[in-house]
Amino acid sequence: MGNQLWELYLLEHGIGDDGVLSPSIKEANKRIYENAYDTIFNETDSGQLVPRAVFVDLEPTVIVEPYNAVLLTHTSMENMDVVFLMDNQAMYSICRARLGIERPTYSNINRLVSQVASAITCSLRFSGSLNVDLSEFQTNLVPYPRIHFPVTALGPVRSPEQACHENSSVRQITEQAFSKENLFLTCDPSHGRYMACGLLYRGDVIPKDVNVAIADIKQKRTVQFVSWCPTGFKVGINHRLPVFAPQSDLAITTRMVSVLSNNTSIGEVWGVLDRKFDLLFRKRAFVHWYVNDCMEEGEFSEARENLEALEEDYRSAYDMGDDQIDEF
């Protein structure tokens, strides 16, 4: 995933594969590019720009993935402020249904993920009068400390062939981003209610069109908010045009929106994960590998109980009335 993400960042900032900012691009777009890269690149004494990142590869396997997912979620409760959820199954479906890729590869999937990651960090890297800081989105997306798992979506997602006969107005890309087929997580928001929603627009977008698009979304029966937070939209607009890698499966467009939403239907995801975990742990399958790496078996039970409590937290957020908010 890192390869595709940094490939996109280099293109967005006009940096070559050798880490040098193109003089022609810098001179032609000095106001846009100057110091825009400081948040994610370090400049060496030789003038090269080096990515600022740490990647940790735990070499996960499909067999024990339920264990890893439950243990990581358990750890994130105390150590992370917000976690954006995605899964490969949902993105495989997007590649097949939206992009016409019969057998998606990790590169296909990771280029989708990189577009969302780029949108989330866009306000940190490029200035804009209607930018929204990441901390503002976090404040709006996390109503309670434990419920900090927003799901992501992107619009438009279409192939170059589809772009020839489809419109990409602000209204249409917003509507597409709110469809369950564009979610990067396998869940159905219509089974729950939204607690908060952030819309990150970039490119040729004006506030008037955004207001019209949001008004349309509010009229849909599939987009319902909890009673205690009926108007939970937060909007950011950055006029920096979307950038696409030369081998990108996505059609080039002048506007794009990434939706970050916290929906009570995410509780269903935890339920599915719990059941997969139980099938393995009931037989203590593969547990010895973790114990040999200095884990205690009791940590599995503790993590499982915490995830079950998280599932109940989401269920309570759906059901509670205004008089129960202070008790949550």
Side-chain angles (χ1 to χ4, degrees), residues 88 105 125 176-177 184 188 265 275:
N88 286 341
T105 65
R125 299 179 290 120
Q176 187 184 115
F184 284 19
D188 189 344
S265 66
R275 289 188 288 275

Side-chain angles (χ1 to χ4, degrees), residues 37-322:
Y37 49 77
D38 286 353
T39 54
I40 58 172
F41 292 95
N42 281 330
E43 187 169 2
T44 66
D45 292 339
S46 63
Q48 289 181 303
L49 299 171
V50 181
R52 295 166 54 184
V54 175
F55 290 96
V56 179
D57 184 3
L58 299 179
E59 297 184 357
T61 62
V62 175
I63 294 176
V64 296
E65 195 62 32
Y67 285 162
N68 294 340
V70 169
L71 291 169
L72 178 60
T73 303
H74 170 63
T75 302
S76 77
M77 299 291 185
E78 300 295 333
N79 300 310
M80 300 180 188
D81 296 321
V82 61
V83 178
F84 296 106
L85 297 179
M86 306 177 187
D87 70 46
N88 286 341
Q89 180 182 344
M91 287 182 284
Y92 272 114
S93 298
I94 291 174
C95 286
R96 292 193 189 101
R98 295 292 195 190
L99 299 176
I101 304 172
E102 186 60 31
R103 303 176 72 88
T105 65
Y106 282 120
S107 292
N108 300 131
I109 290 174
N110 290 335
R111 286 199 173 99
L112 285 175
V113 176
S114 67
Q115 286 293 341
V116 172
S118 173
I120 293 173
T121 60
C122 191
S123 64
L124 296 175
R125 299 179 290 120
F126 300 105
S127 60
S129 58
L130 298 174
N131 266 350
V132 175
D133 188 81
L134 269 180
S135 61
E136 292 184 54
F137 268 107
Q138 177 187 325
T139 300
N140 284 270
L141 287 171
V142 182
Y144 304 101
R146 285 172 58 85
I147 304 181
H148 63 238
F149 298 94
V151 63
T152 57
L154 186 69
V157 177
R158 59 185 184 180
S159 66
E161 293 76 18
Q162 293 171 320
C164 297
H165 54 82
E166 288 186 7
N167 199 343
S168 61
S169 67
V170 172
R171 177 185 293 181
Q172 288 180 316
I173 67 173
T174 305
E175 181 178 352
Q176 187 184 115
F178 271 92
S179 68
K180 69 177 182 179
E181 290 79 12
N182 278 51
L183 282 179
F184 284 19
L185 187 72
T186 307
C187 68
D188 189 344
S190 66
H191 292 171
R193 295 176 182 173
Y194 289 88
M195 293 172 281
C197 188
L199 293 88
L200 295 167
Y201 290 93
R202 61 184 301 180
D204 183 18
V205 177
I206 60 175
K208 179 182 176 182
D209 292 342
V210 172
N211 292 336
V212 171
I214 292 177
D216 283 352
I217 292 297
K218 287 181 177 179
Q219 300 301 316
K220 294 184 178 296
R221 297 182 61 184
T222 55
V223 181
Q224 299 291 322
F225 278 80
V226 291
S227 61
W228 45 271
C229 189
T231 57
F233 285 98
K234 185 73 174 179
V235 176
I237 301 175
N238 190 289
H239 295 299
R240 176 87 177 137
L241 292 175
V243 175
F244 302 89
Q247 304 85 9
S248 177
D249 309 297
L250 292 169
I252 295 175
T253 180
T254 58
R255 59 180 67 89
M256 182 173 280
V257 60
S258 296
V259 175
L260 316 174
S261 58
N262 205 339
N263 190 293
T264 59
S265 66
I266 296 171
E268 297 177 356
V269 177
W270 306 131
V272 172
L273 186 57
D274 283 342
R275 289 188 288 275
K276 291 180 179 179
F277 178 97
D278 292 343
L279 288 173
L280 287 173
F281 193 64
R282 191 176 295 119
K283 302 292 185 180
R284 297 301 189 270
F286 306 103
V287 170
H288 64 284
W289 294 113
Y290 294 83
V291 174
N292 290 343
D293 282 337
C294 301
M295 276 189 62
E296 296 182 6
E297 188 173 315
E299 293 181 58
F300 284 84
S301 300
E302 181 183 351
R304 174 62 176 83
E305 291 171 3
N306 198 5
L307 206 68
E308 185 174 357
L310 180 63
E311 187 179 353
E312 180 58 34
D313 288 342
Y314 275 88
R315 191 158 36 242
S316 298
Y318 179 95
D319 295 332
M320 72 173 151
D322 296 338

